[in-house]
Amino acid sequence: MKVACVGGGPASLYFSILMKRVDPSHDITVYERDPAGSTYGWGVTYWDELLGYLHAADPESARAIRANSVRWESWVAHVRDRATVTVDHGDEGFGIGRHRLLDILVERARALGVRVEFEREIASEEELPDADLIVAGDGVNSVLRERHAGHFGPEFAVGENYYTWLGTTQIFKAFTFAFSETPHGWIWCYGYGFGETHSTCIVECSPATWRGLGLHEAGEADNLALLEKLFSEILDGHPLIGRAHADGSSHWLNFRTLTNRTWHRGNVVLMGDAAHTTHYSVGAGTALALGDAAGLVNALYEEKELAAALARYDRDRKAAIVATQKTAHLSAQWYENLERYIHLPPRQMFELLGRRHSALLPHLPPRLYYAISQVTGAPPRFVSWLGSKVTRSPQAPLM
């Protein structure tokens, strides 16, 4: 099969790796419009469950990913300056730099015979007339998807809160939350390490707080200075690092949750953020992208015809990610309704933060829910974010 992957993110690269693993004769090219090494983004998160799937599908890349990741088992919350609560949830989390993850996948793909072409933009499937299959892994703003938006049916649900994705030289040893009260409302951040020198720091607040603090009109330098002051306790003198727009303004966004009516058209199939997005507060985006790659490989080897394979992939992956999409929606809602929980005693508030995926929590008084939780036991473990794994195939068994 001659395959063209448009977009050089984790979904496309991992798909190309798994396809070569099951049959080295596939002719696969990954096209990335940006130069090598120019990806933006700090660290991405994943959980111990994902490593098992990755080791089963491709042990070599799994070992490299684990070796370049940092691990945490504890979760710390700072509420004003009142208290710090540390809780061991029993779930082992990992962070890895996005740049390093992509380097690992590019290196592995090329070692297996995949061509990876940087600075090559593909704006239409007509530019790939010889491809038997075109994988659109070109992100949430997918050009290939938008050319046929009437067919794919993309819909965006825009979140209420504003957020910005930053880095810092502070190394967080635990997954760290910090909630800071201002005259204009609450602002908070999530911080986690992903390497020896840097951590990710995502800052979020309501529209009223964002405007009240002047974040909507301040330049990047002023934004960072204010945020460093608000989160000085956890930063401990370390700077925040951003990425200003060309005009010097800062990157504040409302999260857009993307769904599509269908994920395929002819020989074009959507994957990763081109097909779906889930709120960053559940840390599932990369794992879902890798799961899409495995799911598509499965479908291609379980169905004889391409059309049937793409329909199966569409059906199976949509079903596999439903639970995560619901979890992400509830998580985003919890933060949008922070005032409902933030005035609880710190330990109770943090307990409900850990249970924000509950569909029942929004409908019960928080103190009552907390009291019930103490009787019923530990919160449910995190859902499975990969959702599928590459199966054995008669052509070339993977496991």
Side-chain angles (χ1 to χ4, degrees), residues 28-253:
I28 305 175
T29 304
V30 176
Y31 300 97
E32 168 54 48
R33 66 181 180 181
D34 292 328
S38 64
T39 183
Y40 175 71
W42 298 98
V44 299
T45 59
Y46 65 95
W47 311 94
D48 53 354
E49 183 181 41
L50 178 63
L51 278 177
Y53 287 106
L54 299 185
H55 274 286
D58 182 45
E60 185 163 334
S61 60
R63 286 191 293 268
I65 290 170
R66 176 62 185 90
N68 286 271
S69 299
V70 298
R71 177 175 64 92
W72 66 83
E73 292 179 327
S74 59
W75 306 68
V76 179
H78 300 253
V79 183
R80 298 190 185 94
D81 57 356
R82 293 183 303 168
T84 300
V85 181
T86 304
V87 177
D88 184 350
H89 279 273
D91 289 277
E92 190 176 27
F94 298 87
I96 184 172
R98 179 174 172 82
H99 189 287
R100 185 68 190 113
L101 174 63
L102 292 178
D103 283 349
I104 289 169
L105 296 180
V106 167
E107 181 179 349
R108 177 61 172 152
R110 283 176 164 165
L112 291 169
V114 176
R115 288 183 298 279
V116 182
E117 297 187 11
F118 289 97
E119 299 183 71
R120 176 72 185 280
E121 184 166 7
I122 302 296
S124 166
E125 61 268 35
E126 281 75 24
E127 297 179 47
L128 304 165
D130 298 329
D132 300 306
L133 175 66
I134 300 172
V135 176
D138 50 344
V140 66
N141 298 313
S142 170
V143 173
L144 295 185
R145 185 195 66 227
E146 289 307 300
R147 290 190 73 247
H148 304 287
H151 174 84
F152 289 111
E155 293 185 1
F156 289 94
V158 181
E160 177 182 330
N161 287 348
Y162 284 89
Y163 75 98
T164 186
W165 202 289
L166 306 171
T168 177
T169 54
Q170 169 70 304
I171 305 300
F172 297 115
K173 300 299 184 182
F175 198 105
T176 301
F177 300 86
F179 298 84
S180 178
E181 190 175 22
T182 79
H184 306 284
W186 289 86
I187 186 168
W188 55 95
C189 70
Y190 332 91
Y192 56 89
F194 64 84
E196 295 181 356
T197 60
H198 289 84
S199 297
T200 294
C201 192
I202 305 169
V203 181
E204 181 179 344
C205 63
S206 71
T209 302
W210 184 64
R211 291 187 176 277
L213 291 172
L215 297 169
H216 65 298
E217 57 187 6
E220 178 78 342
D222 290 338
N223 261 267
L224 295 178
L226 176 57
L227 296 177
E228 286 168 1
K229 181 178 179 180
L230 291 170
F231 299 110
S232 60
E233 181 181 357
I234 65 166
L235 291 173
D236 193 27
H238 289 266
L240 290 171
I241 307 166
R243 179 188 62 141
H245 289 288
D247 62 0
S249 62
S250 57
H251 279 261
W252 285 94
L253 301 167

Side-chain angles (χ1 to χ4, degrees), residues 234-279:
I234 65 166
L235 291 173
D236 193 27
H238 289 266
L240 290 171
I241 307 166
R243 179 188 62 141
H245 289 288
D247 62 0
S249 62
S250 57
H251 279 261
W252 285 94
L253 301 167
N254 301 97
F255 189 82
R256 298 185 299 159
T257 299
L258 167 67
T259 57
N260 282 278
R261 182 174 58 248
T262 182
W263 293 6
H264 63 101
R265 177 184 182 274
N267 68 336
V268 178
V269 61
L270 306 180
M271 184 179 290
D273 283 354
H276 53 81
T277 60
T278 54
H279 194 262

Side-chain angles (χ1 to χ4, degrees), residues 157-163 177 179 188 190 204-207 254-257 277-283 323-341 352-353 355-358 361-362:
V158 181
E160 177 182 330
N161 287 348
Y162 284 89
Y163 75 98
F177 300 86
F179 298 84
W188 55 95
Y190 332 91
E204 181 179 344
C205 63
S206 71
N254 301 97
F255 189 82
R256 298 185 299 159
T257 299
T277 60
T278 54
H279 194 262
Y280 52 82
S281 63
V282 297
T324 307
Q325 290 174 323
K326 291 180 179 178
T327 292
H329 175 69
L330 290 166
S331 181
Q333 280 192 327
W334 193 95
Y335 288 107
E336 289 177 357
N337 292 281
L338 181 69
E339 287 284 350
R340 190 169 186 261
Y341 309 102
L352 298 189
L353 170 63
R355 293 173 179 258
R356 67 190 182 276
H357 310 143
S358 167
L361 177 56

